[in-house]
Amino acid sequence: MVSPIQPEPFRIRMVEPVRVPNEAEREEALKKAHYNMFGLASKDIYIDLLTDSGTGAMSKYQWAALMCGDEAYAGADSFFALKNAVKEVLGFDYVIPTHQGRAAENVIFGTLVKKGDIVPFNMPFDTTRAHIFNNGATPVDCVIDEAFDPESDYPFKGNVDIRKLERVIRENKDSIPLIMVTVTNNSGGGQPVSLKNLQEVSAMAKKYNIPFFLDAARMAENAYFIKMREKEYSSWSLAEIIKAMMETADGISVSCKKDPLVNIGGMICCRTEEMYHTLLPRVILYEGFATYGGLAGRDLEALAVGLREMTDEQYMAHRIAQVRYLGEMLEEGGVPFVKPAGGHAIFIDAAAFFPHIPQEYFPADVLSIEVYREGAIRGIGLGALAFATKDEKTGELKLPKLELYRLAINRRTYTNSHLEYVARKIIDVYKRRDQVKYGLKVKYAPPVEGIHHFLAHLEPFNL
């Protein structure tokens, strides 16, 4: 049964007109996009759930902060506004701005990782994996087994399996430059990591003297799940839990386009001056000077405000409830998805949705096409197209354990009635799922490992 949902904890004072393109327009748009959701133009989309990255709405306080931007090349006042917010909210003494999250990844992995290295994770997301591959290293999943069971309602399916992690460390102890844990675990359905598990990983990293980083783009959502599901912290504030999470890590990589509520920006935060100065040269080579890192001063000001706003418990309660609301509507319609509902998105189990489509023919991406056809809604497939890899020795294609279709909910952007429309249209596709009798072939993909799905040209064929 679908739970009642609270109304939005904000008022709408500006509107962006959108329209639903007709059926013929949608079909033409798919052809022009080579059946890849990344190729669609925004004008061809009614509800865009491709990503929650940079697509949210800023508050009036953030827009006001833009006017305070100091655009000095070095030592801008806006940098110190960010530095103070980072210290207050996250507890780190050192912050390096970057233009977005993957730029922060470029700095961390490009500096610390070399060819032949092994980087243990719970589960890395697409650009994270790509940066590791690009440096000649290999990411290794150490997530708990429950992560691969979409029907399991285990509360912390993003947790690291500590025994797996220690086995990887012992087998590769001279080739591990860092350990990284993604909170929440995007690749596994937006599932959280418990604070206890983060403390255990931190202790393991200290035991073997390995730096421990968080991919902390969705740290506030993760903290909210800790508050709701980890009894010891039920009375803690969201701000207190976020800071406790940060205390487990030596550093963090952040796409600030997620929980920190800005449309552009990223950052690295670290605890020691030594790590700070180790990372700075690559920042200057690829991003900009240490105090702006590819961002305008006005962006730094908006980010400083956003870091504080992400700790607002009423806002976060609504956000998590809105994602859960979409999940409950889909469940009522029989649609299979990763349980429990994630923090930023609903991840439909495309393998269960289309069991007659072999995974090597990309059922998650077929589903993305059919949902767009049905209602001009854009989500994204996160299965074989995004995560399959080739064995270097045998050339054999290694398929991922999950074949998911993600509906990422933009922050403070869509109303509950928008999500009701999304649920109705997806349920309509589910009712006709047996009539979908085609797969997809890749006509073109870039040669860079880990980013095929961004630029691939796809071609439908009948099964």
Side-chain angles (χ1 to χ4, degrees):
M1 183 177 178
V2 179
S3 306
I5 185 169
Q6 68 190 76
E8 290 78 8
F10 51 81
R11 291 182 298 209
I12 298 167
R13 299 181 67 178
M14 184 188 79
V15 297
E16 178 185 2
V18 291
R19 61 181 288 272
V20 183
N22 63 40
E23 187 176 336
E25 290 171 328
R26 297 199 293 271
E27 202 60 42
E28 182 62 25
L30 282 171
K31 291 177 183 176
K32 287 183 178 178
H34 301 286
Y35 298 94
N36 185 333
M37 294 299 105
F38 285 101
L40 290 172
S42 186
K43 67 180 179 61
D44 296 321
I45 298 158
Y46 174 49
I47 296 180
D48 196 350
L49 306 181
L50 178 78
T51 180
D52 61 320
S53 181
T55 56
M58 292 203 304
S59 71
K60 66 179 183 180
Y61 304 107
Q62 288 177 288
W63 283 107
L66 293 176
M67 301 307 295
C68 299
D70 176 4
E71 306 303 341
Y73 184 92
D77 292 341
S78 299
F79 169 76
F80 293 102
L82 173 62
K83 184 178 173 68
N84 291 338
V86 165
K87 180 63 176 177
E88 174 190 328
V89 179
L90 305 180
F92 289 100
D93 290 320
Y94 300 95
V95 58
I96 301 170
T98 62
H99 81 274
Q100 64 180 72
R102 69 194 62 179
E105 292 169 347
N106 174 42
V107 171
I108 291 171
F109 297 122
T111 302
L112 302 180
V113 174
K114 65 183 185 303
K115 187 174 182 178
D117 278 349
I118 298 292
V119 184
F121 277 84
N122 48 355
M123 292 171 75
F125 199 52
D126 52 12
T127 60
T128 317
R129 292 169 78 249
H131 277 293
I132 294 169
F133 287 137
N134 193 51
N135 285 285
T138 304
V140 177
D141 291 355
C142 296
V143 73
I144 59 174
D145 292 340
E146 287 87 345
F148 301 110
D149 180 2
E151 291 299 320
S152 168
D153 61 359
Y154 188 79
F156 291 103
K157 289 165 76 174
N159 277 3
V160 172
D161 184 316
I162 299 300
R163 288 177 296 178
K164 288 182 187 177
L165 176 61
E166 186 158 29
R167 184 167 61 249
V168 170
I169 293 172
R170 286 178 172 174
E171 291 173 356
N172 304 277
K173 59 183 178 181
D174 296 324
S175 303
I176 299 179
L178 72 150
I179 298 166
M180 183 173 275
V181 172
T182 307
V183 289
T184 56
N185 181 25
N186 193 9
S187 297
Q191 299 297 309
V193 181
S194 71
L195 184 51
K196 179 182 178 183
N197 189 249
L198 290 176
Q199 291 165 344
E200 290 172 340
V201 176
S202 182
M204 185 68 65
K206 286 181 172 63
K207 175 180 176 181
Y208 289 96
N209 197 29
I210 301 170
F212 175 38
F213 279 76
L214 296 177
D215 176 350
R218 299 180 179 90
M219 55 188 141
E221 292 170 7
N222 198 95
Y224 188 82
F225 282 125
I226 289 172
K227 182 177 177 66
M228 293 297 107
R229 299 178 185 176
E230 216 167 343
K231 290 181 181 179
E232 305 94 302
Y233 306 105
S234 60
S235 63
W236 288 34
S237 70
L238 198 59
E240 288 172 331
I241 296 171
I242 291 170
K243 191 167 282 189
M245 289 169 57
M246 298 303 106
E247 286 171 355
T248 67
D250 299 301
I252 61 173
S253 168
V254 188
S255 169
C256 298
K257 298 163 68 176
K258 280 88 169 175
D259 274 357
L261 293 164
V262 289
N263 300 129
I264 196 68
M267 64 181 181
I268 301 162
C269 305
C270 51
R271 210 162 292 288
T272 68
E273 187 175 9
E274 179 184 7
M275 180 63 75
Y276 177 71
H277 285 296
T278 297
L279 297 174
L280 275 186
R282 194 169 180 91
V283 175
I284 294 171
L285 276 174
Y286 287 94
E287 290 293 297
F289 188 64
T291 57
Y292 77 91
L295 291 173
R298 53 186 174 270
D299 299 320
L300 300 173
E301 294 281 357
L303 174 54
V305 176
L307 283 170
R308 295 183 174 99
E309 287 187 356
M310 76 178 184
T311 68
D312 182 331
E313 296 194 22
Q314 189 172 12
Y315 149 70
M316 189 56 69
H318 176 268
R319 171 158 179 76
I320 299 298
Q322 198 177 45
V323 176
R324 184 177 64 244
Y325 182 54
L326 175 57
E328 289 175 348
M329 288 187 287
L330 292 175
E331 185 169 28
E332 194 171 68
V335 178
F337 66 93
V338 175
K339 312 288 193 324
H344 68 289
I346 291 295
F347 291 72
I348 293 176
D349 183 356
F353 197 111
F354 289 138
H356 56 288
I357 301 177
Q359 191 178 11
E360 60 265 32
Y361 299 141
F362 313 125
D365 301 278
V366 171
L367 182 53
S368 72
I369 292 168
E370 290 304 308
V371 172
Y372 177 75
R373 276 186 171 136
E374 191 70 35
I377 299 160
R378 177 162 68 170
I380 189 63
L382 292 173
L385 185 63
F387 295 121
T389 56
K390 278 191 177 180
D391 188 293
E392 290 185 3
K393 295 179 181 178
T394 66
E396 181 182 351
L397 190 67
K398 297 195 296 185
L399 296 171
K401 294 181 181 179
L402 295 170
E403 183 72 16
L404 305 178
Y405 167 73
R406 187 184 71 179
L407 299 159
I409 311 304
N410 307 168
R411 292 166 181 79
R412 305 188 294 202
T413 301
Y414 290 116
T415 66
N416 300 333
S417 61
H418 282 119
L419 299 189
E420 291 163 6
Y421 171 88
V422 171
R424 288 197 307 271
K425 293 301 180 181
I426 291 175
I427 291 168
D428 287 344
V429 175
Y430 189 65
K431 288 175 180 177
R432 61 174 177 81
R433 62 194 182 279
D434 293 337
Q435 300 169 30
V436 179
K437 297 180 178 179
Y438 69 92
L440 295 167
K441 292 180 180 178
V442 177
K443 291 179 65 180
Y444 163 78
V448 180
E449 185 79 24
I451 63 168
H452 293 171
H453 59 302
F454 288 106
L455 299 171
H457 293 180
L458 304 173
E459 182 176 53
F461 70 98
N462 293 330
L463 293 172

